[in-house]
Amino acid sequence: MGFFDKIKKGLEKTKNAIASKFKELFKRSELDDDFYDELEYILISSDIGAMTTADIIDELKVKAKKEKIKESEKAKNLLKQILVEKLTIEDPKPVYPLSYLIIGVNGVGKTTTIGKLSNYFKKQKKDVILAAGDTFRAAASDQLNEWANRSKVKIIKHTEGADPASVVYDAVESMKAKKADVLLIDTAGRLHNKVNLMEELKKISKIVMNKYAECNYQKLLVLDATTGQNAVSQVELFNEAVGIDGIILTKLDGTSKGGIIIPIISSLQVPVKFVGVGEGIDDLIEFNPVDYVNALFE
Ligand code: GDP
């Protein structure tokens, strides 16, 4: 399956929820108040958020006036263009050696995403190492180990309850010694309390930066698309603690509110690097604004 087919499949629930409404909307003959009211309703119901929706509608009104567009069918292309612009933010291509610190609350899909990422980088002939930094949860490193076996990549793990910082220390040593291309670091989603977790993540970050300054180090937050607007507050929380370089949005296939990606990018100005569209090893795709918007409107 190609990228576009995958994002289309991943957005099926969202599309089913809004497709018929969009169809009715763009059948209208005029861009009047009713048209904009209905559009507002559709955007908000797919979790685009009140503020971002208001922005989009204001822009559409201004552009439609400027380009003298009066029919709703033509407004559709304009709307697509505005959405693509909102979703496009600068995100340079990865430079190797590369290390991703994978963070996020429990159950969002961190471990699964690391499994998918190891497969993604292996396919590009990159040498990958995993670090089992979630030593808090008994099953976490076993689960990561299974993914390492499936993608045939090396894993550094210690016993349960070990210091995550020491796992990462060893993993970075190993990465340098082997001149590996990619290090993927799993972390706990919950410790005894929030402060504890954030301190732990800061400590891990310092180790990677101090021990391997030449490494392109990025902190990626994993968010579950089915949690809706709550995802936005998770971005703020983790961003304040460690600073986030990008987002991986999982379970897009499990929600009818796939519009959530728009306020995440446009109001928080953090790039979405990948989206998860299923539980399989290949169900991870690089996020592409044009494909995403086209899939929504197909
Ligand atoms: P962690 O606690 O953050 O490490 O989360 P896990 O990796 O253990 O994932 C939690 C659950 O979410 C598992 O059942 C995964 O199979 C599921 N999951 C992860 N990513 C996706 C996705 O993109 N789509 C779907 N449908 N399920 C996913």
Side-chain angles (χ1 to χ4, degrees):
M1 224 196 264
F3 286 143
F4 185 63
D5 291 326
K6 265 195 184 160
I7 187 88
K8 240 169 64 183
K9 191 173 144 262
L11 279 171
E12 212 162 81
K13 285 192 180 160
T14 302
K15 250 178 39 192
N16 287 346
I18 60 172
S20 59
K21 294 186 201 142
F22 264 141
K23 215 169 161 189
E24 283 303 309
L25 177 70
F26 291 111
K27 258 197 227 154
R28 287 169 188 262
S29 53
E30 266 183 274
L31 294 186
D32 52 12
D33 287 347
D34 283 352
F35 170 87
Y36 285 112
D37 284 349
E38 179 63 19
L39 177 60
E40 181 179 26
Y41 166 74
I42 299 172
L43 296 180
I44 288 181
S45 71
S46 63
D47 239 356
I48 291 181
M51 255 171 54
T52 310
T53 297
D55 271 0
I56 293 169
I57 290 184
D58 285 348
E59 265 181 61
L60 185 62
K61 282 181 179 170
V62 170
K63 286 192 170 159
K65 200 171 164 194
K66 205 172 141 211
E67 296 178 26
K68 299 194 170 58
I69 288 174
K70 296 225 165 53
E71 311 89 62
S72 48
E73 181 59 36
K74 283 191 184 144
K76 186 163 135 185
N77 285 333
L78 210 49
L79 175 63
K80 283 169 79 174
Q81 196 186 318
I82 291 169
L83 292 177
V84 170
E85 277 166 17
K86 287 231 169 295
L87 289 166
T88 305
I89 81 172
E90 202 181 336
D91 186 23
K93 287 264 166 225
V95 175
Y96 302 93
L98 171 73
S99 175
Y100 281 161
L101 180 73
I102 305 295
I103 58 181
V105 303
N106 263 353
V108 288
K110 289 183 297 300
T111 313
T112 309
T113 299
I114 293 178
K116 294 173 182 175
L117 280 172
S118 31
N119 176 57
Y120 167 87
F121 284 115
K122 276 285 282 200
K123 278 187 170 169
Q124 298 178 40
K125 306 270 184 278
K126 301 293 176 198
D127 197 3
V128 183
I129 297 179
L130 308 186
D134 181 1
T135 57
F136 190 74
R137 209 161 45 98
S141 77
D142 294 341
Q143 197 188 334
L144 196 67
N145 204 30
E146 270 177 41
W147 284 106
N149 289 339
R150 284 174 71 185
S151 340
K152 300 192 176 56
V153 301
K154 185 181 162 122
I155 176 169
I156 303 292
K157 57 181 182 358
H158 289 187
T159 50
E160 186 194 336
D163 180 7
S166 72
V167 177
V168 173
Y169 188 97
D170 287 355
V172 175
E173 290 268 277
S174 172
M175 183 190 194
K176 285 174 87 170
K178 290 189 171 312
K179 296 194 168 54
D181 304 300
V182 181
L183 172 65
L184 303 172
I185 306 168
D186 193 15
T187 62
R190 191 181 70 86
L191 289 183
H192 302 287
N193 61 55
K194 217 159 36 190
V195 178
N196 248 327
L197 175 63
M198 297 306 165
E199 286 310 310
E200 184 77 65
L201 295 176
K202 283 183 200 165
K203 197 167 139 194
I204 291 175
S205 266
K206 268 199 195 133
I207 290 175
V208 184
M209 289 186 285
N210 291 343
K211 272 193 76 64
Y212 203 178
E214 311 80 57
C215 186
N216 172 19
Y217 175 55
Q218 305 212 332
K219 290 149 281 178
L220 302 188
L221 179 67
V222 179
L223 291 174
D224 175 342
T226 65
T227 56
Q229 292 289 322
N230 186 11
V232 177
S233 59
Q234 288 174 27
V235 178
E236 283 159 349
L237 177 75
F238 281 90
N239 210 3
E240 207 172 292
V242 288
I244 300 168
D245 302 296
I247 286 168
I248 299 175
L249 192 70
T250 59
K251 311 187 196 180
L252 202 58
D253 55 305
T255 180
S256 61
K257 301 193 168 196
I260 185 70
I261 206 160
I262 300 171
I264 288 177
I265 299 179
S266 74
S267 64
L268 302 164
Q269 288 292 303
V270 191
V272 169
K273 289 189 178 286
F274 296 94
V275 290
V277 293
E279 294 182 280
I281 198 159
D282 282 315
D283 292 330
L284 182 79
I285 43 184
E286 276 176 65
F287 179 67
N288 171 324
V290 175
D291 282 354
Y292 170 87
V293 172
N294 282 336
L296 268 189
F297 282 85
E298 255 218 352

